[in-house]
């Protein structure tokens, strides 16, 4: 595919090194850094998004699986030489997460959260990810998609260092990023992963859009998962059902980041969904109620519910579902 840089390689690297040098001085030596990029929530006028329950609304300023669900990070947007540049700043950290009443898990994460932010751009945008490593170990960010080898994120970034990943957003579809430092299973399993959505130049039809990332937790280092979760916390969506509107088109961006299990399924109760494999098509390729996904596989699934009520979603491996990877959609009546 063509390279959209419009920059000579020497000019690009000189500018990049100057930017990096300035960040080392002002970022790592100058105190705390405001890590959260500009976030936006875009819904077309015809899309109805039910209000969150009062308990979730009260926690709106906190990171929870419900707030993560519809949160897309579009970065700090600038124009450079006529091109849209989206700049994202993330910091690798080490911090605990409470998985249930009995289990606290030490995560390696981005900006203190698991999963990491959902980055979003339009095909052809310039992506600039400023990665600060303050986690106490070497880490990196490997982005799926198309880019130069020096931006591939396989080189470890030492603790206390900063690295700038810069590349063009291509091709459109649902992608992911994760740490690629060996053992990769451990770094991903401890929380260093997230989704990267590249929208097609012509937007998809309006829909209520959500991200669901399946992951596992090896809590005793036996290379087996004891707990599983959607969007970070086991069983969260069973006790906090996801409100959706009756007859509203739902667009799920689903990603399987479960290590140690070779594949899992995703099943939706009382409905069928249309499948857009890897999000790299504008037309659905199949319609079903269960799909099998290997690790790092991802798809767009679209559906709407005809009848109000609560409906389950989960992997059809019952042991995985019952160990935390299960949730509910609560369909809100149109007249409510």
């Amino acid at each position: 595919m063509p390279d959209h840089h419009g920059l000579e390689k020497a000019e690009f690297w000189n500018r990049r090194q100057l930017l990096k040098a300035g960040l080392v001085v002002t970022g790592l030596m100058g105190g705390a850094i405001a890590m959260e990029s500009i976030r936006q929530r875009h819904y077309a006028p015809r899309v109805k998004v039910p209000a969150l329950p009062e308990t979730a609304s009260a926690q709106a300023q906190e990171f929870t699986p419900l707030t993560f669900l519809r949160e897309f990070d579009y970065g700090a947007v600038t124009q450079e030489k006529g091109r849209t540049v989206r700049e994202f700043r993330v910091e690798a950290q080490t911090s605990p997460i409470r998985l249930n009443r009995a289990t606290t898990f030490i995560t390696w994460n981005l900006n203190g959260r698991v999963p990491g932010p959902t980055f979003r751009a339009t095909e052809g945008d310039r992506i600039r990810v400023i990665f600060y490593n303050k986690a106490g170990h070497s880490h990196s960010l490997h982005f799926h998609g198309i880019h130069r080898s020096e931006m591939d994120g396989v080189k470890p970034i030492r603790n206390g260092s900063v690295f700038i990943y810069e590349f063009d957003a291509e091709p459109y579809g649902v992608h992911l990023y994760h740490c690629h430092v060996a053992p990769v299973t451990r770094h991903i399993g401890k929380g260093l992963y997230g989704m990267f959505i590249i929208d097609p130049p012509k937007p998809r039809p309006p829909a209520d859009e959500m991200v669901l990332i399946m992951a596992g937790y090896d809590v005793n280092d036996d290379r087996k998962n004891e707990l599983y979760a959607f969007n970070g916390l086991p069983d969260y969506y069973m006790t906090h059902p996801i409100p959706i509107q009756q007859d509203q088109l739902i667009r799920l961006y689903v990603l399987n980041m479960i290590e140690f299990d070779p594949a899992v399924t995703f099943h939706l109760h009382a409905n069928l969904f249309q499948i857009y494999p890897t999000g790299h098509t504008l037309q659905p390729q199949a319609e079903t109620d269960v799909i099998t996904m290997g690790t790092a596989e991802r798809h767009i699934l679209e559906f709407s519910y005809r009848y109000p009520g609560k409906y389950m979603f989960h992997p059809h491996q019952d042991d995985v579902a019952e160990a935390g990877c299960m949730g509910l959609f609560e369909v809100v009546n149109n007249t409510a």
Side-chain angles (χ1 to χ4, degrees):
M1 298 183 70
D3 188 349
H4 301 292
H5 284 257
L7 296 173
E8 294 295 331
K9 189 173 183 180
E11 177 188 350
F12 165 68
W13 284 105
N14 287 339
R15 177 177 60 78
R16 188 170 178 277
Q17 292 301 321
L18 285 171
L19 178 60
K20 182 177 178 180
L23 286 166
V24 170
V25 174
T26 61
L28 298 181
M29 297 177 62
I33 303 167
M35 295 307 306
E36 292 296 326
S37 299
I38 296 173
R39 290 188 189 133
Q40 303 173 36
R41 294 181 178 87
H42 290 282
Y43 297 112
R46 288 174 288 169
V47 175
K48 298 179 181 179
V49 180
L52 295 177
E54 290 185 7
T55 53
S57 298
Q59 301 172 348
Q61 300 304 316
E62 302 177 12
F63 173 74
T64 70
L66 270 181
T67 57
F68 173 86
L69 189 72
R70 295 181 172 99
E71 182 182 271
F72 303 100
D73 188 343
Y74 288 83
V77 181
T78 59
Q79 296 292 319
E80 295 181 9
K81 296 189 176 182
R83 294 194 61 193
T84 297
V85 177
R86 297 185 184 273
E87 183 175 294
F88 305 90
R89 298 190 178 211
V90 291
E91 181 176 287
Q93 302 174 359
T94 297
S95 55
I97 184 173
R98 189 75 176 266
L99 298 180
N100 56 35
R101 292 181 179 180
T103 308
T104 298
F105 185 77
I106 301 300
T107 68
W108 297 338
N109 58 69
L110 294 175
N111 296 355
R113 50 193 282 176
V114 177
T118 300
F119 300 139
R120 193 160 185 176
T122 300
E123 187 177 57
D125 290 348
R126 189 69 173 171
I127 304 300
R128 183 177 298 143
V129 180
I130 303 172
F131 175 61
Y132 303 85
N133 185 6
K134 295 186 178 181
H137 307 269
S138 292
H139 293 301
S140 70
L141 290 183
H142 164 66
F143 286 84
H144 286 219
I146 299 173
H147 44 250
R148 295 176 179 270
S149 62
E150 56 266 26
M151 295 292 105
D152 202 35
V154 296
K155 176 183 176 182
I157 308 303
R158 292 179 300 176
N159 179 55
S161 300
V162 60
F163 189 85
I164 303 167
Y165 298 96
E166 190 162 341
F167 51 90
D168 294 333
E170 58 179 349
Y172 76 82
V174 186
H175 304 291
L176 63 144
Y177 63 88
H178 58 85
C179 182
H180 213 292
V181 174
V184 179
T185 52
R186 179 170 174 79
H187 286 246
I188 292 177
K190 287 184 73 67
L192 279 170
Y193 60 86
M195 185 178 286
F196 176 38
I197 299 172
I198 302 178
D199 292 313
K202 181 180 179 181
R204 300 178 190 273
D208 184 2
E209 299 187 325
M210 302 175 227
V211 171
L212 285 178
I213 301 178
M214 295 183 282
Y217 289 102
D218 173 13
V219 300
N220 58 8
D221 295 324
D222 64 351
R223 297 184 63 82
K224 296 179 182 178
N225 295 311
E226 287 72 45
L227 294 171
Y228 298 86
F230 283 107
N231 294 346
L233 291 181
D235 289 319
Y236 186 88
Y237 295 123
M238 288 300 292
T239 55
H240 302 77
I242 299 170
I244 61 175
Q245 195 75 34
Q246 179 186 10
D247 296 323
Q248 170 68 59
L249 177 64
I250 305 299
R251 180 172 296 126
L252 284 187
Y253 297 87
V254 180
L255 166 64
N256 173 23
M257 287 304 293
I258 299 175
E259 294 287 346
F260 304 123
D261 294 79
V264 296
T265 57
F266 179 86
H267 170 52
L268 185 65
H269 278 215
N271 211 338
L272 299 177
F273 49 75
Q274 294 185 319
I275 307 167
Y276 298 75
T278 318
H280 194 52
T281 174
L282 299 179
Q283 298 297 325
Q285 303 300 297
E287 187 174 44
T288 183
D289 66 352
V290 62
I291 187 172
T292 302
M293 303 171 68
T295 303
E297 193 168 353
R298 63 275 185 195
H299 303 298
I300 292 176
L301 309 180
E302 290 187 349
F303 59 91
S304 62
Y305 267 99
R306 187 184 306 173
Y307 307 111
K310 292 182 180 180
Y311 301 93
M312 278 188 175
F313 59 89
H314 56 82
H316 225 297
Q317 289 78 13
D318 293 330
D319 58 334
V320 174
E322 292 167 2
C325 206
M326 186 182 298
L328 291 167
F329 286 115
E330 183 167 7
V331 181
V332 179
N333 193 301
N334 277 330
T335 60

